[in-house]
Amino acid sequence: MAETRRMIEDAVDMADNQETSLRVEMLRSDNRLHGEISASASPYVDTAYVESRTLKDTGHSMQFELRRRQVKHDRRDTLSSGKAASTTTRPNANAADGLAGMEEMVKVLHRSIRSGVNLFMSPSAQRFDSLFTARLSESGLWLPHLLEVIDDHGMVTDSILSGDFVVSAHDDHYFYPLDNDTKAAYRLTYHPVHSIVLHQMAGILLASAAILLVLCAAFWYLIRTILRQKTLDEMKSDFTNNITHELKTPIAVAYAANDALLNFEDASEKTKAYLRISQEQLKQLSGMVEQILSMSMERRKTLVVHLEDVVVAPLMEQLMQLHRLKADKPVVFSLDIEPQTLCIQADRSHLSNMVSNLLDNAIKYSKDEAFVTIRCRKGLIEVTDKGIGIPEAALGHIFEKFYRVPQGNRHDVKGYGLGLYYVKCMMEKHGGRVEAESTEQGTTIRLIWNA
């Protein structure tokens, strides 16, 4: 706002300077010798005097003399060419005071010269307004206004209305004196600066508001879409979790029944062949359900576990029986629980899945026969096998997603590299951790609950 006011005042001052210069040029053109007109004035301002003026042609220039005789002191001040207004400076004035003094001296000198020019030619409001408007345009400012010329008695002698300006009671006024010795002045009336700035920025503000509305609408649509996608993803995850949990039990029952029929003595060889096919397909189906469950559990970052006191012994017996039926090789389990009534605070379903994954790996990575030891203590479940072991370089990566220990061109053991990653994620949800040790004689995986 202050910058805009300063631009308006500078434009008025510059327009007055240019208008005065144009009048000097016009007076010079009127001189028969085409000389120059010069004027100087004393800095004294008399309060009461009798004035006379004379225009001379010296042959080289055109001069005017203004004689003022004071009523009280009878002193005569003669203004002649070559005299300039003088100023008094303080011996210790600093640079800022000196600069301000120079600016003030320039203004006084300009007004003195303008006062002299006014003696022979009156200012033109029309010319001043054109120069003022042009100056504002150069500064990039559009200012509807009312310009009035006020005489020494405070009467309006001329006025110019610019643009679509309508006078109101809240308008700002700026007075610019025309003479040092009289009250004549330009009076510039314009709307408050803040309304001018807002009017000129109306296009930018409207465009910004439109862009803001578009951005808000796009943001709302994006958030709405994301929320809907999140809801659909949660529904899909819930369905996957539920269906996999529900499928595990019937698959295990069907596998057990199929195994019983396969071992039935009166079954013919043809019947046993079909039963073996069914058993193989049930085994693959059980593995697929486990993998789907692992993947879906891993994707649920906001999964909340439901902790309860789980009695370890019955759970381990059930899992050992299930894996004996599933295994395609002889399996020998050794269960060490102390005390026998040991309970672990965990989510029953996820605890079952974690231990099942460890048992499944222990059996898969054993050679001809699997020997698996399950050791349970307070806050600890440990599964040890006598399988092929894990190289030391790969031991630090086995809990990474989709990581499988490189085995060259061998693909004896199928899998997706998600089992141990799922175990790690679920132990973190339980506030615990998982550790691994391995040698050429086998591997040990520990599930540790923090006290």
Side-chain angles (χ1 to χ4, degrees):
M1 302 300 178
E3 180 68 18
T4 304
R5 289 191 180 92
R6 188 188 63 80
M7 291 171 59
I8 294 173
E9 294 173 4
D10 289 347
V12 171
D13 190 61
M14 182 63 69
D16 179 67
N17 292 342
Q18 294 176 344
E19 197 276 336
T20 302
S21 299
L22 288 175
R23 283 189 288 151
V24 170
E25 291 296 329
M26 293 172 66
L27 287 172
R28 181 183 299 170
S29 299
D30 290 342
N31 190 334
R32 61 184 180 86
L33 295 177
H34 302 284
E36 69 177 43
I37 183 169
S38 60
S40 63
S42 170
Y44 301 120
V45 178
D46 298 334
T47 58
Y49 56 87
V50 177
E51 177 183 292
S52 63
R53 66 190 73 169
T54 306
L55 181 63
K56 290 184 181 182
D57 183 3
T58 63
H60 301 287
S61 65
M62 186 165 62
Q63 300 178 346
F64 65 86
E65 290 183 357
L66 173 63
R67 290 182 175 84
R68 297 171 180 169
R69 180 170 57 81
Q70 286 189 351
V71 175
K72 291 182 180 180
H73 303 290
D74 193 22
R75 186 183 65 186
R76 300 178 63 184
D77 298 328
T78 304
L79 280 68
S80 60
S81 175
K83 295 181 181 180
S86 63
T87 60
T88 303
T89 60
R90 299 190 304 273
N92 296 326
N94 55 30
D97 291 341
L99 180 59
M102 289 294 294
E103 291 178 352
E104 185 63 27
M105 185 178 68
V106 170
K107 290 181 180 179
V108 171
L109 181 59
H110 170 71
R111 290 175 182 175
S112 298
I113 294 175
R114 183 183 57 200
S115 298
V117 176
N118 289 347
L119 297 174
F120 304 99
M121 180 178 291
S122 299
S124 170
Q126 182 69 41
R127 187 165 50 240
F128 175 85
D129 186 73
S130 299
L131 295 170
F132 172 67
T133 303
R135 182 65 180 175
L136 288 178
S137 298
E138 292 175 4
S139 302
L141 184 62
W142 179 75
L143 182 71
H145 61 273
L146 172 64
L147 178 66
E148 297 172 303
V149 181
I150 310 299
D151 63 12
D152 192 29
H153 303 289
M155 302 297 293
V156 178
T157 60
D158 195 5
S159 64
I160 297 175
L161 193 64
S162 173
D164 55 354
F165 182 77
V166 178
V167 179
S168 69
H170 304 288
D171 292 336
D172 290 340
H173 303 280
Y174 178 62
F175 288 86
Y176 189 81
L178 290 173
D179 201 306
N180 288 339
D181 304 322
T182 67
K183 297 180 181 179
Y186 288 124
R187 181 169 65 188
L188 183 67
T189 304
Y190 53 89
H191 294 313
V193 174
H194 66 272
S195 65
I196 296 173
V197 174
L198 289 176
H199 179 73
Q200 293 190 354
M201 293 180 63
I204 297 176
L205 293 175
L206 289 175
S208 300
I211 293 173
L212 183 61
L213 288 175
V214 171
L215 289 176
C216 289
F219 184 73
W220 172 83
Y221 180 77
L222 179 62
I223 293 297
R224 179 172 173 268
T225 303
I226 291 174
L227 291 176
R228 291 182 64 185
Q229 291 290 339
K230 182 179 179 181
T231 302
L232 292 173
D233 186 68
E234 290 178 350
M235 291 174 61
K236 181 185 70 174
S237 298
D238 291 339
F239 173 78
T240 303
N241 298 335
N242 293 333
I243 199 68
T244 49
H245 280 298
E246 294 298 327
L247 285 174
K248 288 179 65 178
T249 300
I251 290 174
V253 172
Y255 191 94
N258 188 87
D259 187 69
L261 290 174
L262 186 61
N263 296 323
F264 191 65
E265 294 180 357
D266 294 338
S268 64
E269 289 299 323
K270 187 174 182 180
T271 300
K272 289 183 178 181
Y274 285 118
L275 289 174
R276 291 190 186 96
I277 295 173
S278 298
Q279 188 178 46
E280 183 66 26
Q281 295 302 313
L282 286 171
K283 185 188 300 184
Q284 292 185 11
L285 182 59
S286 178
M288 291 173 62
V289 169
E290 291 287 345
Q291 296 300 331
I292 292 173
L293 180 63
S294 299
M295 293 178 67
S296 63
M297 289 296 103
E298 180 274 324
R299 291 184 61 188
R300 294 191 63 180
K301 304 299 181 183
T302 58
L303 176 68
V304 178
V305 294
H306 302 283
L307 301 180
E308 59 179 298
D309 289 332
V310 180
V311 182
V312 174
L315 178 65
M316 296 304 163
E317 292 289 349
Q318 180 183 358
L319 291 175
M320 288 189 298
Q321 182 180 359
L322 176 64
H323 281 277
R324 286 193 188 97
L325 293 174
K326 288 174 57 177
D328 56 355
K329 65 185 70 172
V331 180
V332 178
F333 285 108
S334 174
L335 181 60
D336 178 14
I337 301 177
E338 185 180 335
Q340 287 297 317
T341 58
L342 177 67
C343 291
I344 290 181
Q345 193 175 46
D347 186 299
R348 180 181 295 274
S349 175
H350 292 299
L351 177 61
S352 175
N353 291 332
M354 286 189 291
V355 176
S356 179
N357 278 336
L358 298 183
L359 296 179
D360 187 57
N361 284 342
I363 295 171
K364 285 195 302 184
Y365 292 101
S366 295
K367 296 180 181 178
D368 298 330
E369 186 176 5
F371 296 90
V372 182
T373 301
I374 305 173
R375 179 172 173 268
C376 302
R377 297 291 185 271
K378 183 179 180 180
L380 171 68
I381 295 179
E382 183 180 276
V383 177
T384 303
D385 64 60
K386 295 183 179 180
I388 60 176
I390 302 172
E392 184 177 356
L395 193 61
H397 303 282
I398 60 174
F399 297 109
E400 295 178 3
K401 188 176 183 180
F402 299 120
Y403 182 82
R404 301 195 67 203
V405 178
Q407 295 182 357
N409 294 325
R410 293 175 56 195
H411 300 283
D412 300 334
V413 181
K414 304 298 181 182
Y416 300 97
L418 288 171
L420 292 179
Y421 177 72
Y422 166 77
V423 171
K424 172 178 174 290
C425 292
M426 289 302 104
M427 284 304 299
E428 290 176 353
K429 290 290 184 181
H430 282 78
R433 66 187 188 277
V434 58
E435 295 179 354
E437 290 182 4
S438 184
T439 63
E440 293 181 356
Q441 286 74 38
T443 302
T444 299
I445 306 292
R446 299 186 184 92
L447 305 181
I448 303 173
W449 279 261
N450 295 329

